Amino acid sequence: MADIDHLREKFLKDIKAARDLAYLNEVKVAALGKKGAVSAELSKLGQMNSDERKEAGQLINSIKQELISALSERQIVLARQALQEKLNTEKIDVSLPSRPSVQAKMHPISRTMEEISAIFSDMGFVIAEGPEIETDENNFTALNIPPEHPARQEHDTFYLQPDEYGERPVLRTHTSPVQIRTMRSTSPPIRIIVPGRTYRSDHDATHSPMFHQCEGLVIGPNIHMGHLKATLIDFCRTFFGLDELPVRFRPSYFPFTEPSAEVDIGCNRDGGGLKIGAGEDWLEILGSGMVNPRVLENCGYDPATTQGFAFGMGVERLAMLKYGIPDLRTFYDTDLRWLHHYGFMPHDVVGLHTGLV
Ligand code: PHE
């Protein structure tokens, strides 16, 4: 019995001395665990006679209960202490000033493509895309520009390594190959616009080897030049936000359209600056035309029953004219001060500038 009293004293002392929960748990295991001291005492009961066993059993059990309640009391105290310590050390000072954040701006090219897309979406066009690495067939031949055609020289093409059949892929020189892809993979009616990157081996103050275009294609029965004119006049006036903007269609030539027209908008150069709107001068802003019957045939359409029109515009040029950006090269300088000046807040509603909302 002296033994067990001694154990009781020892464990109560240990419990009191425990400074953290891990240590308290060790004490608990040593006292009450399967191989702990109390279990060891209980196992000795078998060797006693019944009177001794009764007395010793009661004593051990009362000590066991005493240890259980001492452990749980101490556990509550230590858990509370641990929480308090955590709260003290992980305190957040909400009064600290925040780190300075840089307001991101949207690049004028992205913005202009969104505006163009918004205007044509309103007219029922959907956006189509194609790869920037194209086949010669899609970029030229199917568009009625066969290998020896002089128009090929006007496209300063980046050619890639020939494939196993000797075909040289190209970096697309315009977005027009997406006309071919769309006509060959879907059937009329078609009403798409194709904003995207294009490449020409040309680099000076007004040309960049990578630039952006937005193509348009409408295919259906009885589509005629009147549809082309109305669509593009509407686009120009909405894009520049000028209801009375003069728009002129000037005869031109593209192998993939017949007839072809370049579209000019009115402008005024009085006093040195350039002002879009009514005036003496004209500015060319896009190419267009009725889809050449040969192109329709190349895509498996019957030109007798199916017609269409197409157009293509340079996104940089439109952005420069609309937002008064004087130098093409600055678009690609990745100069944050420039972007801060000419960029757009991402949450600006596109329609506000174009009169759509
Ligand atoms: N693909 C022509 C270019 O890059 C533009 C264009 C597209 C002209 C569609 C007519 C029709 O210059």
Side-chain angles (χ1 to χ4, degrees):
M1 289 308 114
D3 267 5
I4 184 118
D5 261 342
H6 178 72
L7 282 178
R8 174 179 171 277
E9 298 279 300
K10 172 187 157 20
F11 284 124
L12 286 176
K13 215 169 101 196
D14 284 353
I15 291 168
K16 222 174 175 178
R19 289 280 159 268
D20 59 55
L21 290 166
Y23 183 77
L24 187 68
N25 198 46
E26 278 171 31
V27 176
K28 184 177 178 179
V29 171
L32 305 174
K34 246 191 246 157
K35 293 180 184 154
V38 172
S39 305
E41 290 301 321
L42 284 170
S43 71
K44 289 183 195 160
L45 293 177
Q47 292 135 32
M48 299 180 184
N49 67 38
S50 73
D51 284 348
E52 280 175 343
R53 189 185 305 141
K54 196 173 166 202
E55 195 187 333
Q58 276 177 355
L59 181 63
I60 298 171
N61 273 321
S62 82
I63 289 175
K64 187 175 173 183
Q65 289 312 317
E66 194 182 355
L67 291 178
I68 288 175
S69 57
L71 279 163
S72 86
E73 268 170 37
R74 187 74 188 141
Q75 194 197 341
I76 292 170
V77 172
L78 290 177
R80 200 176 290 149
Q81 268 176 19
L83 175 65
Q84 197 55 51
E85 205 163 297
K86 222 172 160 198
L87 289 175
N88 288 343
T89 53
E90 293 178 11
K91 199 154 53 181
I92 294 171
D93 182 355
V94 289
S95 69
L96 272 180
S98 61
R99 293 195 184 90
S101 67
V102 180
Q103 175 63 58
K105 290 272 185 96
M106 190 191 235
H107 197 281
I109 295 288
S110 312
R111 167 72 185 205
T112 303
M113 291 209 285
E114 279 200 2
E115 289 176 9
I116 297 169
S117 303
I119 296 169
F120 284 109
S121 298
D122 252 35
M123 297 188 204
F125 285 69
V126 295
I127 293 178
E129 284 182 316
E132 290 168 29
I133 296 175
E134 258 301 0
T135 59
D136 194 280
E137 158 78 11
N138 285 340
N139 195 79
F140 293 122
T141 314
L143 285 164
N144 196 35
I145 319 177
E148 70 288 355
H149 197 287
R152 285 216 179 193
Q153 266 77 66
E154 284 163 35
H155 293 222
D156 308 276
T157 312
F158 285 114
Y159 286 94
L160 278 69
Q161 291 297 327
D163 63 16
E164 66 230 60
Y165 309 104
E167 303 279 351
R168 285 188 304 176
V170 299
L171 292 185
R172 67 178 178 191
T173 57
H174 49 180
T175 39
S176 303
V178 185
Q179 289 189 33
I180 302 299
R181 288 179 173 272
T182 308
M183 282 193 271
R184 285 183 174 170
S185 62
T186 58
S187 42
I190 291 171
R191 231 186 303 183
I192 56 157
I193 53 157
V194 186
R197 284 193 179 138
T198 48
Y199 301 84
R200 289 186 199 177
S201 170
D202 210 349
H203 202 182
D204 59 37
T206 53
H207 295 91
S208 154
M210 187 280 295
F211 57 104
H212 298 76
Q213 286 194 338
C214 185
E215 192 82 7
L217 176 70
V218 174
I219 301 281
N222 306 320
I223 296 290
H224 54 70
M225 197 79 185
H227 297 123
L228 178 158
K229 284 188 72 176
T231 304
L232 294 179
I233 291 173
D234 223 32
F235 166 74
C236 293
R237 292 184 176 161
T238 312
F239 180 79
F240 287 105
L242 296 170
D243 290 345
E244 307 293 324
L245 179 68
V247 180
R248 176 173 84 170
F249 290 77
R250 185 166 35 78
S252 183
Y253 173 79
F254 299 101
F256 32 91
T257 47
E258 182 58 36
S260 302
E262 271 168 318
V263 179
D264 301 337
I265 54 171
C267 69
N268 198 326
R269 286 196 173 87
D270 286 353
L274 174 71
K275 201 164 166 279
I276 308 282
E280 307 293 292
D281 258 330
W282 295 98
L283 259 176
E284 178 203 321
I285 61 158
L286 55 91
S288 69
M290 300 305 295
V291 178
N292 191 314
R294 284 174 179 236
V295 174
L296 293 171
E297 276 165 4
N298 287 342
C299 296
Y301 294 174
D302 178 2
T305 56
T306 307
Q307 296 82 32
F309 67 85
F311 53 89
M313 55 188 91
V315 177
E316 279 79 355
R317 189 166 166 76
L318 287 175
M320 287 167 81
L321 291 173
K322 181 161 176 177
Y323 295 113
I325 302 171
D327 187 340
L328 173 83
R329 288 167 293 194
T330 57
F331 280 117
Y332 319 108
D333 279 347
T334 62
D335 179 342
L336 277 178
R337 290 164 307 174
W338 181 90
L339 188 59
H340 195 73
H341 181 79
Y342 287 110
F344 293 85
M345 301 299 268
H347 50 263
D348 265 2
V349 181
V350 160
L352 283 178
H353 280 259
T354 58
L356 283 178
V357 292

